[in-house]
Amino acid sequence: MTLRTIRFMIKEGAVNTYKNKLMSLASICIVSASLVIFGIFFLISLNISANMKIFGEQPEVVVFCEPDMDEAQASLVGEKISDLDEVSSVRMVTRKEYFETVKEMFEGNTGLLENLDETFLPVKFNLMLGDYEKCDDIEESLKNIDGVWDVQYPKKVVEFIRSISYWLRFLSILLIIVLLLIATFIMENTIKLTVHAREKEISIMQYIGATDGYIRWPFIVEGVIIGFAGAIIAYAFVAYGYTIIADSFNNDILQIGIEFIRLIDIRDISFLLVLLFIMMGTLVGAMGSWMSIRKYLKV
Amino acid sequence: MVEFSGVTKKYDNGTLALSDVSFTINDGEFVFIVGPSGSGKSTIIKLMLREEVATSGKVCVDDQDLMSMEKEKIPYFRRRLGVVFQDFRLLPKKTVYENVAFAMEITEALPKEIRRRVPMALGLVGLSRKAPVYPNQLSGGEQQRVSLARAIVNDPVLLLADEPTGNLDPEISWEIMQLLESINNRGTTVVVATHDKNIVDRMQKRVIEINKGKIIRDQQKGLYSNDTKND
Ligand SMILES: Nc1ncnc2c1ncn2[C@@H]1O[C@H](COP(=O)(O)OP(=O)(O)OP(=O)(O)O)[C@@H](O)[C@H]1O
Ligand SMILES: [Mg+2]
């Protein structure tokens, strides 16, 4: 295929897209509608997983030292804990500090603690993990350290987060697959209509000796143009809508005093989003054309 | 140029369109294929175009065995042929000029060649002035002349015409036949399937008559029918 032929086919595809305005417009709408739906789900899952990380850092693992251990011995245990790869930070809670928090817990009811001082409490460590997924693994390693009496962490919370993020990941992959299939299917059928309307044209081309590639490529160019246009329109809608929603959401949520949940700024993801849309749009367009023209090129 | 020997064509639905048909057409000949409706004229044209494949027998066109031709070769084979149909089959969204040029573009001809040959072909069929017009703005006769220009622009060795005058009145039909004859005079072999009695009788060319899928007459300088009483 010469460069001239490639140029000719691109021009043919572009001119055909223009000359079949109505059909092209219908296809563009369908592609952009599918992409908008996809974009909404994509942004939701992106935001949930971004906020999940913040949420994921919350659960603390608490390590208690043997109760008879003094604080010097305990700090040795603390060093061993911070040597573990999974641990991102360790904070030693002295008996005194610990006692203060316990007192706070029993506030107004100090009678219970009347005859007690901090010595009945063990030294404890609060640790943060880089990845809350590792809670189970690290529990074992912590328990194996000499002088560690008990390890506690909010199992339920961790399991909840874990199952949510698992399902979320699973769902978003499933969603992407389903939406891609739907978009291709819709595209295939829309293009099938245009191809059907142009069946005669295709057969004329075959009579005068056009090769399959010569007939197919302009259609694929057409599909790509339609997919591209659909992607740009979908992006405009999604980006605009998201900006409005994210701005007011972030505002409102700050006002009620929640700081750690924030919707992602559109500027951080616009490149990813536009790239994804264009890739999906053009791919779906090209695939739709390819599949719908296949039948007519058999004979 | 064309050789049919013992050709039988049975369509998928069981219709026997041709049975044991044999004939040879030499280079430069002008041949009419005549017969009543459903006799198999179009089937013969389709076999020559490799649109259909014979069920048995041998079909050779332009020294190529169409029975064993690979699918990928068909477009290249067709580029050496010109085709004209009753319904013109022009691309509605291309102008007259573009329709004719398209037949050259698909062969990846040089733009210079296209600019030279398309006006020539349009001149030959007398439509130079209609170059920028779309097919739906033309009369039937003019549309058929455009399709003739498209058929000859690549200088085909064989021109196949299936009822080229089927939609035209007698006067225009005659003009088209004159054009076909002049194309034939320039060396192109011409095969016309028709049931237009007037033009066949006037042209005095070789006539192959078929009926119910069988050749019943093959005559040089023939008339449409030997039976003078019954049409
Ligand atoms: N694609 C097809 N599938 C099945 N049967 C067909 C097909 N094309 C033609 N036939 C049958 O084959 C026979 C010959 O048809 P053909 O078109 O060759 O006739 P024809 O001589 O061209 O007729 P007409 O003058 O009406 O154009 C007819 O009985 C027709 O019904
Ligand atoms: Mg016919």
Side-chain angles (χ1 to χ4, degrees):
Chain A
M1 217 189 292
T2 63
L3 198 67
R4 179 158 41 81
T5 307
I6 293 170
R7 217 167 22 189
F8 176 80
M9 284 173 179
I10 292 173
K11 200 186 108 204
E12 276 289 297
V15 169
N16 287 345
T17 314
Y18 175 72
K19 288 194 171 170
N20 299 285
K21 288 185 230 26
L22 269 179
M23 274 299 184
S24 306
L25 214 65
S27 314
I28 288 172
C29 288
I30 286 163
V31 175
S32 56
S34 315
L35 284 177
V36 165
I37 295 171
F38 167 79
I40 291 171
F41 281 100
F42 180 71
L43 285 174
I44 290 174
S45 78
L46 212 61
N47 270 295
I48 291 180
S49 61
N51 284 299
M52 202 63 133
K53 286 208 185 89
I54 300 166
F55 193 27
E57 284 159 10
Q58 304 306 305
E60 265 182 337
V61 178
V62 183
V63 176
F64 296 97
C65 294
E66 299 284 356
D68 52 5
M69 213 173 244
D70 64 36
E71 281 174 8
Q73 287 172 304
S75 60
L76 287 176
V77 175
E79 272 165 35
K80 280 188 188 149
I81 292 173
S82 58
D83 280 347
L84 293 170
D85 286 340
E86 293 92 337
V87 178
S88 65
S89 73
V90 185
R91 195 174 67 80
M92 184 160 117
V93 180
T94 58
R95 287 197 166 90
K96 256 204 168 65
E97 280 179 82
Y98 194 8
F99 192 62
E100 290 306 310
T101 49
V102 172
K103 269 206 287 209
E104 269 170 42
M105 274 162 66
F106 287 92
E107 202 179 353
N109 211 347
T110 33
L112 275 171
L113 300 170
E114 220 161 319
N115 299 322
L116 292 171
D117 60 14
E118 69 266 20
T119 49
F120 85 99
L121 289 167
V123 179
K124 96 181 173 162
F125 293 97
N126 287 346
L127 28 143
M128 297 282 229
L129 302 183
D131 185 354
Y132 60 88
E133 295 266 9
K134 301 229 168 77
C135 283
D136 288 336
D137 309 339
I138 203 164
E139 186 181 6
E140 274 311 301
S141 338
L142 287 170
K143 277 187 172 155
N144 286 337
I145 294 174
D146 266 344
V148 169
W149 182 46
D150 193 15
V151 178
Q152 282 180 6
Y153 65 91
K155 271 203 168 78
K156 283 258 152 57
V157 174
V158 169
E159 262 157 30
F160 175 70
I161 293 171
R162 194 178 291 156
S163 71
I164 278 202
S165 67
Y166 169 79
W167 282 106
L168 215 74
R169 217 170 296 158
F170 177 76
L171 266 178
S172 51
I173 289 170
L174 194 76
L175 204 83
I176 289 171
I177 292 171
V178 169
L179 279 167
L180 269 178
L181 285 179
I182 291 174
T184 316
F185 175 78
I186 293 172
M187 194 68 191
E188 185 189 347
N189 281 284
T190 329
I191 296 231
K192 204 180 264 171
L193 284 179
T194 71
V195 172
H196 184 71
R198 284 149 70 187
E199 197 180 340
K200 239 178 89 185
E201 233 176 288
I202 295 170
S203 89
I204 292 169
M205 292 185 213
Q206 285 175 325
Y207 277 124
I208 60 177
T211 55
D212 286 358
Y214 213 92
I215 297 169
R216 183 187 290 128
W217 280 106
F219 276 102
I220 290 178
V221 169
E222 207 174 323
V224 168
I225 292 174
I226 287 169
F228 187 84
I232 298 298
I233 292 171
Y235 175 75
F237 269 103
V238 169
Y240 182 69
Y242 180 79
T243 310
I244 290 175
I245 292 171
D247 281 354
S248 74
F249 179 88
N250 284 343
N251 240 333
D252 292 353
I253 206 151
L254 256 186
Q255 250 153 36
I256 58 172
I258 300 174
E259 285 168 21
F260 56 90
I261 296 180
R262 291 198 64 71
L263 293 187
I264 305 165
D265 192 316
I266 186 76
R267 277 163 297 191
D268 294 340
I269 46 167
S270 57
F271 182 71
L272 174 74
L273 202 63
V274 85
L275 202 72
L276 203 68
F277 272 25
I278 288 173
M279 261 166 46
M280 279 173 58
T282 52
L283 196 77
V284 160
M287 262 172 20
S289 292
W290 183 282
M291 288 192 290
S292 47
I293 194 132
R294 209 178 32 187
K295 180 178 130 205
Y296 295 97
L297 296 181
K298 283 230 170 85
V299 196
Chain B
M1 179 57 58
V2 180
E3 188 194 340
F4 272 50
S5 68
V7 173
T8 294
K9 174 63 187 177
K10 199 174 190 176
Y11 282 107
D12 289 342
N13 64 3
T15 314
L16 188 65
L18 293 176
S19 62
D20 195 20
V21 168
S22 301
F23 61 86
T24 306
I25 297 171
N26 294 316
D27 291 7
E29 269 196 282
F30 192 122
V31 182
F32 282 115
I33 296 172
V34 302
S37 184
S39 55
K41 303 184 293 294
S42 295
T43 303
I44 290 179
I45 300 283
K46 284 176 185 165
L47 288 173
M48 291 191 215
L49 259 176
R50 186 47 168 80
E51 186 183 341
E52 295 286 350
V53 186
T55 313
S56 65
K58 188 180 169 203
V59 178
C60 278
V61 176
D62 189 25
D63 295 327
Q64 302 202 54
D65 181 1
L66 299 193
M67 301 294 286
S68 61
M69 180 176 279
E70 295 140 47
K71 192 178 170 290
E72 293 73 39
K73 296 221 171 106
I74 297 172
Y76 301 96
F77 159 72
R78 285 186 183 155
R79 290 176 192 182
R80 314 234 324 136
L81 269 44
V83 229
V84 172
F85 295 98
Q86 177 171 3
D87 56 1
F88 323 133
R89 305 205 184 165
L90 300 173
L91 297 168
K93 290 188 173 134
K94 286 188 188 293
T95 63
V96 165
Y97 183 93
E98 287 165 349
N99 261 282
V100 179
F102 191 65
M104 288 190 78
E105 275 155 358
I106 59 161
T107 68
E108 306 194 26
L110 291 169
K112 205 179 80 189
E113 271 297 284
I114 298 178
R115 281 195 298 273
R116 190 176 69 84
R117 296 191 58 100
V118 174
M120 248 170 60
L122 284 175
L124 203 80
V125 299
L127 276 183
S128 301
R129 282 184 315 113
K130 300 283 187 183
V133 163
Y134 286 91
N136 63 4
Q137 297 167 286
L138 295 176
S139 72
E142 287 168 330
Q143 291 187 49
Q144 193 59 298
R145 284 193 279 162
V146 178
S147 92
L148 258 178
R150 180 181 64 191
I152 61 170
V153 75
N154 283 326
D155 227 341
V157 291
L158 173 65
L159 186 85
L160 300 173
D162 192 357
E163 314 263 8
T165 60
N167 283 348
L168 308 173
D169 56 38
E171 212 171 307
I172 308 294
S173 297
W174 184 242
E175 282 176 29
I176 297 290
M177 290 324 287
Q178 296 298 157
L179 275 173
L180 285 173
E181 184 159 38
S182 72
I183 291 162
N184 179 237
N185 287 338
R186 288 151 38 105
T188 301
T189 310
V190 176
V191 177
V192 181
T194 185
H195 48 217
D196 189 333
K197 182 181 183 312
N198 281 328
I199 56 164
V200 176
D201 288 350
R202 248 174 110 177
M203 293 285 285
Q204 302 263 316
K205 299 289 185 186
R206 177 181 170 191
V207 173
I208 297 175
E209 183 178 353
I210 51 169
N211 195 358
K212 297 195 179 99
K214 281 185 159 51
I215 295 187
I216 56 169
R217 177 165 63 107
D218 186 346
Q219 187 180 22
Q220 298 295 331
K221 291 189 193 271
L223 298 178
Y224 184 81
S225 168
N226 272 351
D227 189 348
T228 38
K229 283 166 288 173
N230 207 353
D231 186 9

